[in-house]
Amino acid sequence: MTTANETSTGHSTRTLWRVNEVSKLTGVSIRTLQYYDRIGLLHPAKYTEAGYRLYDDTALETLQQILLFRELEFPLKDIKEIISSPDFDRRKALDQQIELLRLKKEHIENLIDLAREIKLSGVKKLTFDAFDTKKIDEYAAQAKASWGTTPAYKEFEEKSKGRTKEEDKKIYQGMIDLFAQFGRIRDTDPASGEAQALVKKLQDHITEHMYTCTKEILSGLGKMYAAGGEFTQNIDSYGGEGTAEFASRAIEIFCK
């Protein structure tokens, strides 16, 4: 462990770690730490005259955040955008990371239980519920959006500034009405002119009140609508069972 002076008078010091010490402490290879520095993900606190990287407590706290995101399988590019955002809230991120890790733990425990059941009852235990990751995927998407790292989210923040609760309620009701309309035609062909016109109305509604809804974004929303969980349940409650799936298929056709 290396101690370095922070001021020229020598009155204030802080603890700094060399890159090899950080590697031993964290289990992250020296090569990986060097790579994180090169891509701007994690810079050391300072460099020695000989060019050695030195890391302080703040850098190590950032490394903890990076490793938590990596455990949650976030790409390095996304992690960099998240932690470098001026809106990044470390405590909020930790709360969401804890929830994602809890969901992963629940998923793994379900897989363990399934494996034990198969071992006891034989390979004829034909159930696949334990492989379902929809809950994790949905929460991860919501969490990522709330970190405000995407241009769409930033545009949404700008458009929603100063809006009253009544205005928000009216916009929300507009979405409900659109899904109710999808529900009324859910037994028809999703490629029909009526269904495709509804998709266009949905895209325009989102663009006007939330963010620019490109076909790429709309396609992602469509997949999320039919992925199960809260989104699917809410949409089906507005239009009837099968509405979310129908809207998703109509969106897929529209975005081709």
Side-chain angles (χ1 to χ4, degrees):
M1 194 161 59
T2 304
T3 302
N5 287 331
E6 279 297 277
T7 66
S8 57
T9 60
H11 291 300
S12 176
T13 62
R14 63 173 171 168
T15 303
L16 296 173
W17 289 267
R18 292 183 184 274
V19 69
N20 62 320
E21 293 170 331
V22 173
S23 179
K24 289 177 183 177
L25 176 68
T26 64
V28 179
S29 71
I30 293 174
R31 181 173 292 181
T32 297
L33 290 167
Q34 291 169 339
Y35 178 66
Y36 286 174
D37 185 13
R38 284 200 306 274
I39 65 173
L41 179 61
L42 177 68
H43 293 304
K46 62 189 299 185
Y47 300 88
T48 66
E49 290 182 3
Y52 290 108
R53 294 171 174 83
L54 298 176
Y55 296 81
D56 61 4
D57 289 350
T58 301
L60 292 184
E61 287 174 4
T62 301
L63 181 57
Q64 283 180 330
Q65 283 287 335
I66 292 167
L67 295 179
L68 279 169
F69 280 121
R70 290 299 286 156
E71 284 293 325
L72 295 167
E73 299 175 11
F74 277 67
L76 290 178
K77 181 183 175 184
D78 289 352
I79 298 173
K80 183 180 176 181
E81 288 179 359
I82 290 167
I83 65 177
S84 62
S85 168
D87 301 321
F88 180 63
D89 183 329
R90 191 181 296 270
R91 292 185 66 84
K92 180 181 177 182
L94 280 168
D95 286 340
Q96 292 171 325
Q97 287 167 337
I98 288 167
E99 177 61 14
L100 277 168
L101 289 166
R102 187 194 66 76
L103 289 171
K104 282 193 74 173
K105 176 174 176 281
E106 182 182 285
H107 176 64
I108 291 169
E109 287 174 344
N110 288 338
L111 289 172
I112 292 171
D113 289 343
L114 174 63
R116 284 174 175 158
E117 285 183 42
I118 292 172
K119 183 179 178 181
L120 290 172
S121 61
V123 294
K124 291 185 179 180
K125 182 70 176 178
L126 298 179
T127 177
F128 297 88
D129 292 345
F131 298 99
D132 189 354
T133 62
K134 288 174 185 173
K135 230 195 280 189
I136 298 172
D137 296 339
E138 183 177 293
Y139 188 88
Q142 290 175 323
K144 185 178 175 183
S146 74
W147 281 314
T149 60
T150 64
Y153 183 81
K154 293 183 186 301
E155 185 180 351
F156 171 75
E157 280 192 321
E158 285 299 315
K159 285 190 175 182
S160 60
K161 272 182 186 175
R163 272 207 304 242
T164 65
K165 287 185 179 179
E166 282 302 314
E167 288 171 330
D168 281 334
K169 187 177 178 182
K170 188 176 179 181
I171 292 166
Y172 180 64
Q173 186 60 49
M175 291 286 286
I176 291 175
D177 291 344
L178 285 168
F179 286 125
Q181 291 177 59
F182 274 114
R184 286 195 285 272
I185 63 169
R186 67 186 184 279
D187 294 326
T188 66
D189 182 358
S192 70
E194 189 176 5
Q196 292 302 293
L198 265 180
V199 175
K200 184 65 169 67
K201 281 185 181 179
L202 176 64
Q203 184 185 37
D204 290 345
H205 184 83
I206 294 170
T207 296
E208 181 182 354
H209 300 292
M210 300 173 191
Y211 45 77
T212 303
C213 188
T214 63
K215 281 193 174 182
E216 182 182 4
I217 290 175
L218 185 61
S219 176
L221 289 173
K223 290 172 184 174
M224 195 181 294
Y225 292 160
E230 189 178 344
F231 282 112
T232 304
Q233 291 166 13
N234 286 340
I235 292 170
D236 283 355
S237 72
Y238 306 142
E241 187 176 352
T243 299
E245 179 63 34
F246 175 79
S248 178
R249 284 188 285 127
I251 289 169
E252 183 183 359
I253 293 165
F254 180 88
C255 292
K256 282 183 178 176

